[in-house]
Amino acid sequence: MALVSIRNLTKTYQRGPEKVEVLHGVNLDIAAGDFVALMGPSGSGKTTLLNLIGGLDTPTSGEISVNGERIDRMTGGQLSTWRSHNVGYVFQFYNLMPALTAQKNVELPLLLTKLSGAQRRRNAQIALTLVGLADRTSHKPNELSGGQQQRVAIARAIVSDPTLLICDEPTGDLDRQSAEDILGLLQSLNRDHGKTIVMVTHDPKAAGYASHTLHLDKGSLVEQQADAA
Ligand SMILES: Nc1ncnc2c1ncn2[C@@H]1O[C@H](COP(=O)(O)OP(=O)(O)OP(=O)(O)O)[C@@H](O)[C@H]1O
Ligand SMILES: [Mg+2]
C-alpha cells in the first residue's frame, strides 16, 4: 500500500468573485520510504500540492490518504493533531523563532506532546546531533549560517519522528556547498532513517538526490521522457 495516495485531487482558490482552479484532478501514489522531487514552472501548483499532502491545507475535491487515513475528511482540529504526529516541514526560509536558541526551536513541536521537559530537551539534542549541530545548541538563528539554520529547521522537522518529511525548496536560499550538505542530510534521513520525503525544487541537481522526479505543469502531473535520476 502506498504511504500517500491521491485521487482526482483538485484545488480551487476563491479570490473575491473569481475562482482559480490550481490543481486539476491529480492522481499520485508515493511509496513508503520514497524520496520524491517535485519540479515544475513557477505557479504550476507545487507548493499547493505539497501543502495538501502535508495537511497544511484542504482540497476542494478528491481524496488524500496518508498511511490509510483520509486526511481530506479531517476537521481542522483533527488535522492539526494528525500533522503533529505524522509530518515534518522544511521551508526555504527556515522559519525559525529568532529569539530562541537552536535547542528551544527544535523543542517547539514537542510542546504539543505529553513529553516531560527533560525528555523534550533530550529528544531535541538527539535531533540536533543527527543534523551535525551538537556544538551549536545554544546559538540563536542570527548566530548561525544559512546552512546551519536549515539544519536546525530539519532537526525541528524530525524531532517528533514523523514518517513524512515535506520540503518546499529547502536549498533555494543556500550557496552550492551548503545546498549539497543539506541534500546529503535529507538523503541520509531517507536511506538510513526511513523517512519518506517529498521535496519541491527548481534545481535539477537537487532533484538528482531524490529517487525520482515528478513534473507538474499548470496544475497537472506530466510525463517526462527522460528522468534525470
Ligand atoms: N491563497 C491563494 N489564493 C489565490 N490564488 C493562489 C493562492 N495561493 C496560490 N495561488 C495561485 O495558485 C497557483 C499555484 O501556486 P503555487 O504556490 O502552488 O505555485 P508554485 O508551483 O509553488 O510556484 P513557485 O515555484 O513560484 O513557488 C498560482 O497561480 C498562484 O497565484
Ligand atoms: Mg512554491
Side-chain angles (χ1 to χ4, degrees), residues 178-219:
S178 306
E180 283 177 12
D181 293 347
I182 290 296
L183 290 160
L185 173 59
L186 290 175
Q187 202 169 48
S188 135
L189 289 172
N190 171 250
R191 289 184 180 169
D192 308 329
H193 299 274
K195 301 295 170 203
T196 304
I197 301 180
V198 187
M199 173 179 75
V200 168
T201 181
H202 282 284
D203 176 5
K205 276 201 182 146
Y209 283 77
S211 314
H212 60 270
T213 302
L214 299 171
H215 297 269
L216 200 59
D217 192 20
K218 298 191 188 81

mmCIF file of all heavy atoms in Angstrom, residues 178-219:
data_model
loop_
_atom_site.group_PDB
_atom_site.id
_atom_site.type_symbol
_atom_site.label_atom_id
_atom_site.label_comp_id
_atom_site.label_asym_id
_atom_site.label_seq_id
_atom_site.Cartn_x
_atom_site.Cartn_y
_atom_site.Cartn_z
ATOM 1 N N SER A 178 26.494 24.530 0.841
ATOM 2 C CA SER A 178 25.508 24.290 1.907
ATOM 3 C C SER A 178 24.330 23.498 1.362
ATOM 4 O O SER A 178 23.771 22.632 2.047
ATOM 5 C CB SER A 178 24.994 25.608 2.481
ATOM 6 O OG SER A 178 26.059 26.407 2.890
ATOM 7 N N ALA A 179 23.947 23.788 0.115
ATOM 8 C CA ALA A 179 22.835 23.060 -0.505
ATOM 9 C C ALA A 179 23.170 21.580 -0.600
ATOM 10 O O ALA A 179 22.356 20.713 -0.246
ATOM 11 C CB ALA A 179 22.531 23.635 -1.886
ATOM 12 N N GLU A 180 24.390 21.277 -1.047
ATOM 13 C CA GLU A 180 24.773 19.869 -1.177
ATOM 14 C C GLU A 180 24.788 19.171 0.177
ATOM 15 O O GLU A 180 24.387 18.015 0.296
ATOM 16 C CB GLU A 180 26.134 19.757 -1.874
ATOM 17 C CG GLU A 180 26.008 19.980 -3.371
ATOM 18 C CD GLU A 180 27.352 19.938 -4.096
ATOM 19 O OE1 GLU A 180 28.359 19.510 -3.493
ATOM 20 O OE2 GLU A 180 27.360 20.353 -5.277
ATOM 21 N N ASP A 181 25.242 19.904 1.211
ATOM 22 C CA ASP A 181 25.250 19.318 2.561
ATOM 23 C C ASP A 181 23.829 18.998 3.024
ATOM 24 O O ASP A 181 23.569 17.929 3.586
ATOM 25 C CB ASP A 181 25.905 20.289 3.557
ATOM 26 C CG ASP A 181 27.398 20.477 3.268
ATOM 27 O OD1 ASP A 181 27.954 19.697 2.478
ATOM 28 O OD2 ASP A 181 27.984 21.423 3.831
ATOM 29 N N ILE A 182 22.916 19.940 2.786
ATOM 30 C CA ILE A 182 21.521 19.737 3.207
ATOM 31 C C ILE A 182 20.893 18.569 2.425
ATOM 32 O O ILE A 182 20.202 17.716 3.001
ATOM 33 C CB ILE A 182 20.702 21.032 2.998
ATOM 34 C CG1 ILE A 182 21.141 22.116 4.000
ATOM 35 C CG2 ILE A 182 19.195 20.767 3.095
ATOM 36 C CD1 ILE A 182 20.902 21.793 5.449
ATOM 37 N N LEU A 183 21.177 18.507 1.120
ATOM 38 C CA LEU A 183 20.621 17.421 0.301
ATOM 39 C C LEU A 183 21.179 16.078 0.736
ATOM 40 O O LEU A 183 20.455 15.074 0.783
ATOM 41 C CB LEU A 183 20.910 17.686 -1.175
ATOM 42 C CG LEU A 183 20.102 18.861 -1.737
ATOM 43 C CD1 LEU A 183 20.758 19.406 -3.001
ATOM 44 C CD2 LEU A 183 18.662 18.456 -1.985
ATOM 45 N N GLY A 184 22.483 16.048 1.093
ATOM 46 C CA GLY A 184 23.088 14.820 1.604
ATOM 47 C C GLY A 184 22.423 14.390 2.905
ATOM 48 O O GLY A 184 22.173 13.200 3.133
ATOM 49 N N LEU A 185 22.112 15.376 3.745
ATOM 50 C CA LEU A 185 21.441 15.090 5.016
ATOM 51 C C LEU A 185 20.041 14.519 4.764
ATOM 52 O O LEU A 185 19.640 13.517 5.380
ATOM 53 C CB LEU A 185 21.363 16.376 5.850
ATOM 54 C CG LEU A 185 20.567 16.334 7.146
ATOM 55 C CD1 LEU A 185 21.125 15.283 8.100
ATOM 56 C CD2 LEU A 185 20.578 17.711 7.812
ATOM 57 N N LEU A 186 19.306 15.126 3.842
ATOM 58 C CA LEU A 186 17.959 14.615 3.520
ATOM 59 C C LEU A 186 18.057 13.185 2.982
ATOM 60 O O LEU A 186 17.271 12.311 3.348
ATOM 61 C CB LEU A 186 17.262 15.526 2.496
ATOM 62 C CG LEU A 186 16.846 16.908 3.006
ATOM 63 C CD1 LEU A 186 16.283 17.757 1.871
ATOM 64 C CD2 LEU A 186 15.828 16.800 4.143
ATOM 65 N N GLN A 187 19.057 12.953 2.126
ATOM 66 C CA GLN A 187 19.233 11.621 1.558
ATOM 67 C C GLN A 187 19.520 10.591 2.659
ATOM 68 O O GLN A 187 18.994 9.478 2.630
ATOM 69 C CB GLN A 187 20.390 11.665 0.561
ATOM 70 C CG GLN A 187 20.354 10.565 -0.453
ATOM 71 C CD GLN A 187 21.369 10.817 -1.559
ATOM 72 O OE1 GLN A 187 22.532 11.119 -1.290
ATOM 73 N NE2 GLN A 187 20.939 10.717 -2.795
ATOM 74 N N SER A 188 20.319 11.003 3.646
ATOM 75 C CA SER A 188 20.627 10.078 4.729
ATOM 76 C C SER A 188 19.401 9.847 5.627
ATOM 77 O O SER A 188 19.170 8.732 6.110
ATOM 78 C CB SER A 188 21.840 10.596 5.506
ATOM 79 O OG SER A 188 21.633 10.504 6.876
ATOM 80 N N LEU A 189 18.589 10.882 5.825
ATOM 81 C CA LEU A 189 17.345 10.685 6.595
ATOM 82 C C LEU A 189 16.429 9.708 5.868
ATOM 83 O O LEU A 189 15.725 8.913 6.482
ATOM 84 C CB LEU A 189 16.627 12.024 6.796
ATOM 85 C CG LEU A 189 17.313 12.990 7.767
ATOM 86 C CD1 LEU A 189 16.631 14.356 7.728
ATOM 87 C CD2 LEU A 189 17.307 12.431 9.183
ATOM 88 N N ASN A 190 16.459 9.757 4.534
ATOM 89 C CA ASN A 190 15.656 8.845 3.726
ATOM 90 C C ASN A 190 16.215 7.420 3.788
ATOM 91 O O ASN A 190 15.509 6.467 4.116
ATOM 92 C CB ASN A 190 15.600 9.366 2.290
ATOM 93 C CG ASN A 190 14.961 8.378 1.336
ATOM 94 O OD1 ASN A 190 15.641 7.796 0.485
ATOM 95 N ND2 ASN A 190 13.674 8.152 1.488
ATOM 96 N N ARG A 191 17.507 7.280 3.509
ATOM 97 C CA ARG A 191 18.100 5.944 3.369
ATOM 98 C C ARG A 191 18.345 5.258 4.705
ATOM 99 O O ARG A 191 18.122 4.068 4.845
ATOM 100 C CB ARG A 191 19.437 6.050 2.642
ATOM 101 C CG ARG A 191 19.254 6.398 1.183
ATOM 102 C CD ARG A 191 20.591 6.413 0.458
ATOM 103 N NE ARG A 191 20.386 6.739 -0.940
ATOM 104 C CZ ARG A 191 21.366 7.040 -1.782
ATOM 105 N NH1 ARG A 191 22.624 7.036 -1.354
ATOM 106 N NH2 ARG A 191 21.101 7.322 -3.030
ATOM 107 N N ASP A 192 18.838 6.035 5.684
ATOM 108 C CA ASP A 192 19.268 5.422 6.940
ATOM 109 C C ASP A 192 18.203 5.487 8.030
ATOM 110 O O ASP A 192 18.261 4.744 8.998
ATOM 111 C CB ASP A 192 20.541 6.109 7.452
ATOM 112 C CG ASP A 192 21.626 6.160 6.387
ATOM 113 O OD1 ASP A 192 21.663 5.226 5.554
ATOM 114 O OD2 ASP A 192 22.414 7.126 6.370
ATOM 115 N N HIS A 193 17.248 6.414 7.891
ATOM 116 C CA HIS A 193 16.251 6.581 8.951
ATOM 117 C C HIS A 193 14.829 6.368 8.450
ATOM 118 O O HIS A 193 13.868 6.628 9.179
ATOM 119 C CB HIS A 193 16.405 7.956 9.607
ATOM 120 C CG HIS A 193 17.751 8.155 10.241
ATOM 121 N ND1 HIS A 193 18.043 7.757 11.523
ATOM 122 C CD2 HIS A 193 18.898 8.671 9.746
ATOM 123 C CE1 HIS A 193 19.317 8.037 11.795
ATOM 124 N NE2 HIS A 193 19.864 8.591 10.725
ATOM 125 N N GLY A 194 14.696 5.930 7.181
ATOM 126 C CA GLY A 194 13.384 5.510 6.672
ATOM 127 C C GLY A 194 12.368 6.616 6.466
ATOM 128 O O GLY A 194 11.176 6.334 6.344
ATOM 129 N N LYS A 195 12.825 7.873 6.439
ATOM 130 C CA LYS A 195 11.858 8.956 6.230
ATOM 131 C C LYS A 195 11.414 8.994 4.768
ATOM 132 O O LYS A 195 12.255 8.944 3.866
ATOM 133 C CB LYS A 195 12.475 10.317 6.577
ATOM 134 C CG LYS A 195 12.966 10.456 8.000
ATOM 135 C CD LYS A 195 11.821 10.365 8.976
ATOM 136 C CE LYS A 195 12.336 10.262 10.405
ATOM 137 N NZ LYS A 195 11.337 9.644 11.291
ATOM 138 N N THR A 196 10.127 9.106 4.554
ATOM 139 C CA THR A 196 9.605 9.348 3.212
ATOM 140 C C THR A 196 9.643 10.853 2.988
ATOM 141 O O THR A 196 9.193 11.623 3.836
ATOM 142 C CB THR A 196 8.157 8.823 3.109
ATOM 143 O OG1 THR A 196 8.154 7.442 3.479
ATOM 144 C CG2 THR A 196 7.615 8.986 1.691
ATOM 145 N N ILE A 197 10.227 11.272 1.853
ATOM 146 C CA ILE A 197 10.438 12.706 1.629
ATOM 147 C C ILE A 197 9.799 13.140 0.325
ATOM 148 O O ILE A 197 9.949 12.474 -0.705
ATOM 149 C CB ILE A 197 11.952 13.031 1.593
ATOM 150 C CG1 ILE A 197 12.622 12.611 2.911
ATOM 151 C CG2 ILE A 197 12.179 14.531 1.330
ATOM 152 C CD1 ILE A 197 14.114 12.885 2.981
ATOM 153 N N VAL A 198 9.056 14.247 0.375
ATOM 154 C CA VAL A 198 8.577 14.911 -0.832
ATOM 155 C C VAL A 198 9.188 16.300 -0.824
ATOM 156 O O VAL A 198 8.986 17.072 0.114
ATOM 157 C CB VAL A 198 7.039 15.009 -0.883
ATOM 158 C CG1 VAL A 198 6.595 15.556 -2.238
ATOM 159 C CG2 VAL A 198 6.398 13.655 -0.618
ATOM 160 N N MET A 199 9.975 16.601 -1.868
ATOM 161 C CA MET A 199 10.738 17.851 -1.905
ATOM 162 C C MET A 199 10.453 18.627 -3.187
ATOM 163 O O MET A 199 10.677 18.126 -4.286
ATOM 164 C CB MET A 199 12.240 17.518 -1.835
ATOM 165 C CG MET A 199 13.153 18.712 -2.045
ATOM 166 S SD MET A 199 14.907 18.278 -1.933
ATOM 167 C CE MET A 199 15.159 17.443 -3.502
ATOM 168 N N VAL A 200 9.980 19.841 -3.039
ATOM 169 C CA VAL A 200 9.838 20.736 -4.185
ATOM 170 C C VAL A 200 11.174 21.407 -4.449
ATOM 171 O O VAL A 200 11.841 21.867 -3.514
ATOM 172 C CB VAL A 200 8.766 21.818 -3.904
ATOM 173 C CG1 VAL A 200 8.829 22.913 -4.959
ATOM 174 C CG2 VAL A 200 7.383 21.196 -3.867
ATOM 175 N N THR A 201 11.595 21.426 -5.716
ATOM 176 C CA THR A 201 12.829 22.126 -6.051
ATOM 177 C C THR A 201 12.791 22.637 -7.486
ATOM 178 O O THR A 201 12.093 22.090 -8.335
ATOM 179 C CB THR A 201 14.067 21.224 -5.856
ATOM 180 O OG1 THR A 201 15.234 21.975 -6.177
ATOM 181 C CG2 THR A 201 14.015 19.984 -6.741
ATOM 182 N N HIS A 202 13.526 23.725 -7.728
ATOM 183 C CA HIS A 202 13.701 24.238 -9.085
ATOM 184 C C HIS A 202 15.014 23.757 -9.683
ATOM 185 O O HIS A 202 15.301 24.002 -10.847
ATOM 186 C CB HIS A 202 13.718 25.779 -9.074
ATOM 187 C CG HIS A 202 12.363 26.394 -8.963
ATOM 188 N ND1 HIS A 202 11.499 26.450 -10.025
ATOM 189 C CD2 HIS A 202 11.716 26.967 -7.934
ATOM 190 C CE1 HIS A 202 10.384 27.036 -9.645
ATOM 191 N NE2 HIS A 202 10.485 27.353 -8.366
ATOM 192 N N ASP A 203 15.828 23.075 -8.852
ATOM 193 C CA ASP A 203 17.203 22.783 -9.225
ATOM 194 C C ASP A 203 17.336 21.308 -9.634
ATOM 195 O O ASP A 203 17.184 20.414 -8.801
ATOM 196 C CB ASP A 203 18.085 23.105 -8.011
ATOM 197 C CG ASP A 203 19.537 22.746 -8.240
ATOM 198 O OD1 ASP A 203 19.887 22.325 -9.369
ATOM 199 O OD2 ASP A 203 20.320 22.867 -7.287
ATOM 200 N N PRO A 204 17.634 21.029 -10.906
ATOM 201 C CA PRO A 204 17.769 19.630 -11.346
ATOM 202 C C PRO A 204 18.830 18.872 -10.557
ATOM 203 O O PRO A 204 18.690 17.665 -10.327
ATOM 204 C CB PRO A 204 18.179 19.751 -12.821
ATOM 205 C CG PRO A 204 17.796 21.131 -13.232
ATOM 206 C CD PRO A 204 17.859 21.981 -11.997
ATOM 207 N N LYS A 205 19.888 19.570 -10.101
ATOM 208 C CA LYS A 205 20.922 18.889 -9.306
ATOM 209 C C LYS A 205 20.347 18.435 -7.973
ATOM 210 O O LYS A 205 20.661 17.351 -7.490
ATOM 211 C CB LYS A 205 22.105 19.823 -9.075
ATOM 212 C CG LYS A 205 23.076 19.827 -10.217
ATOM 213 C CD LYS A 205 24.427 20.345 -9.736
ATOM 214 C CE LYS A 205 25.386 20.386 -10.914
ATOM 215 N NZ LYS A 205 26.329 21.502 -10.824
ATOM 216 N N ALA A 206 19.509 19.273 -7.373
ATOM 217 C CA ALA A 206 18.858 18.895 -6.108
ATOM 218 C C ALA A 206 17.949 17.698 -6.345
ATOM 219 O O ALA A 206 17.935 16.739 -5.561
ATOM 220 C CB ALA A 206 18.064 20.073 -5.542
ATOM 221 N N ALA A 207 17.206 17.740 -7.450
ATOM 222 C CA ALA A 207 16.296 16.627 -7.764
ATOM 223 C C ALA A 207 17.072 15.328 -7.935
ATOM 224 O O ALA A 207 16.562 14.240 -7.670
ATOM 225 C CB ALA A 207 15.494 16.947 -9.025
ATOM 226 N N GLY A 208 18.341 15.436 -8.370
ATOM 227 C CA GLY A 208 19.177 14.258 -8.558
ATOM 228 C C GLY A 208 19.426 13.478 -7.273
ATOM 229 O O GLY A 208 19.758 12.300 -7.313
ATOM 230 N N TYR A 209 19.257 14.110 -6.118
ATOM 231 C CA TYR A 209 19.415 13.418 -4.842
ATOM 232 C C TYR A 209 18.204 12.549 -4.508
ATOM 233 O O TYR A 209 18.276 11.670 -3.671
ATOM 234 C CB TYR A 209 19.628 14.426 -3.702
ATOM 235 C CG TYR A 209 21.026 14.996 -3.644
ATOM 236 C CD1 TYR A 209 21.436 15.986 -4.534
ATOM 237 C CD2 TYR A 209 21.947 14.555 -2.689
ATOM 238 C CE1 TYR A 209 22.717 16.516 -4.482
ATOM 239 C CE2 TYR A 209 23.219 15.087 -2.617
ATOM 240 C CZ TYR A 209 23.605 16.061 -3.523
ATOM 241 O OH TYR A 209 24.864 16.586 -3.463
ATOM 242 N N ALA A 210 17.078 12.848 -5.158
ATOM 243 C CA ALA A 210 15.850 12.078 -4.895
ATOM 244 C C ALA A 210 15.885 10.770 -5.672
ATOM 245 O O ALA A 210 16.704 10.584 -6.575
ATOM 246 C CB ALA A 210 14.638 12.910 -5.298
ATOM 247 N N SER A 211 14.980 9.839 -5.327
ATOM 248 C CA SER A 211 14.910 8.563 -6.041
ATOM 249 C C SER A 211 14.269 8.745 -7.403
ATOM 250 O O SER A 211 14.601 8.054 -8.348
ATOM 251 C CB SER A 211 14.087 7.545 -5.253
ATOM 252 O OG SER A 211 14.473 7.559 -3.912
ATOM 253 N N HIS A 212 13.307 9.651 -7.501
ATOM 254 C CA HIS A 212 12.772 10.006 -8.809
ATOM 255 C C HIS A 212 12.065 11.356 -8.752
ATOM 256 O O HIS A 212 11.861 11.914 -7.679
ATOM 257 C CB HIS A 212 11.884 8.912 -9.382
ATOM 258 C CG HIS A 212 10.710 8.594 -8.525
ATOM 259 N ND1 HIS A 212 10.749 7.637 -7.555
ATOM 260 C CD2 HIS A 212 9.483 9.119 -8.489
ATOM 261 C CE1 HIS A 212 9.579 7.575 -6.954
ATOM 262 N NE2 HIS A 212 8.790 8.479 -7.498
ATOM 263 N N THR A 213 11.705 11.849 -9.931
ATOM 264 C CA THR A 213 11.212 13.211 -10.059
ATOM 265 C C THR A 213 9.829 13.221 -10.702
ATOM 266 O O THR A 213 9.587 12.514 -11.687
ATOM 267 C CB THR A 213 12.191 14.033 -10.931
ATOM 268 O OG1 THR A 213 13.479 13.992 -10.313
ATOM 269 C CG2 THR A 213 11.742 15.480 -11.053
ATOM 270 N N LEU A 214 8.940 14.015 -10.119
ATOM 271 C CA LEU A 214 7.618 14.254 -10.706
ATOM 272 C C LEU A 214 7.594 15.660 -11.278
ATOM 273 O O LEU A 214 8.209 16.573 -10.721
ATOM 274 C CB LEU A 214 6.535 14.149 -9.638
ATOM 275 C CG LEU A 214 6.389 12.807 -8.931
ATOM 276 C CD1 LEU A 214 5.435 12.951 -7.750
ATOM 277 C CD2 LEU A 214 5.874 11.756 -9.903
ATOM 278 N N HIS A 215 6.881 15.827 -12.395
ATOM 279 C CA HIS A 215 6.808 17.145 -13.041
ATOM 280 C C HIS A 215 5.368 17.630 -13.040
ATOM 281 O O HIS A 215 4.463 16.933 -13.516
ATOM 282 C CB HIS A 215 7.349 17.061 -14.460
ATOM 283 C CG HIS A 215 8.790 16.680 -14.513
ATOM 284 N ND1 HIS A 215 9.810 17.600 -14.510
ATOM 285 C CD2 HIS A 215 9.386 15.461 -14.518
ATOM 286 C CE1 HIS A 215 10.973 16.965 -14.532
ATOM 287 N NE2 HIS A 215 10.746 15.671 -14.535
ATOM 288 N N LEU A 216 5.200 18.833 -12.526
ATOM 289 C CA LEU A 216 3.876 19.450 -12.506
ATOM 290 C C LEU A 216 3.884 20.581 -13.521
ATOM 291 O O LEU A 216 4.840 21.361 -13.592
ATOM 292 C CB LEU A 216 3.623 19.989 -11.093
ATOM 293 C CG LEU A 216 2.188 20.253 -10.648
ATOM 294 C CD1 LEU A 216 1.329 19.002 -10.722
ATOM 295 C CD2 LEU A 216 2.195 20.777 -9.206
ATOM 296 N N ASP A 217 2.832 20.648 -14.344
ATOM 297 C CA ASP A 217 2.731 21.743 -15.304
ATOM 298 C C ASP A 217 1.297 22.249 -15.314
ATOM 299 O O ASP A 217 0.384 21.469 -15.579
ATOM 300 C CB ASP A 217 3.172 21.272 -16.698
ATOM 301 C CG ASP A 217 3.352 22.437 -17.658
ATOM 302 O OD1 ASP A 217 3.509 23.589 -17.192
ATOM 303 O OD2 ASP A 217 3.310 22.199 -18.879
ATOM 304 N N LYS A 218 1.113 23.493 -15.007
ATOM 305 C CA LYS A 218 -0.216 24.127 -14.980
ATOM 306 C C LYS A 218 -1.237 23.287 -14.229
ATOM 307 O O LYS A 218 -2.371 23.107 -14.670
ATOM 308 C CB LYS A 218 -0.704 24.397 -16.407
ATOM 309 C CG LYS A 218 0.186 25.348 -17.191
ATOM 310 C CD LYS A 218 -0.519 25.767 -18.485
ATOM 311 C CE LYS A 218 0.395 26.568 -19.390
ATOM 312 N NZ LYS A 218 1.299 25.688 -20.172
ATOM 313 N N GLY A 219 -0.830 22.754 -13.100
ATOM 314 C CA GLY A 219 -1.793 22.070 -12.239
ATOM 315 C C GLY A 219 -2.040 20.611 -12.558
ATOM 316 O O GLY A 219 -2.929 19.991 -11.969
#
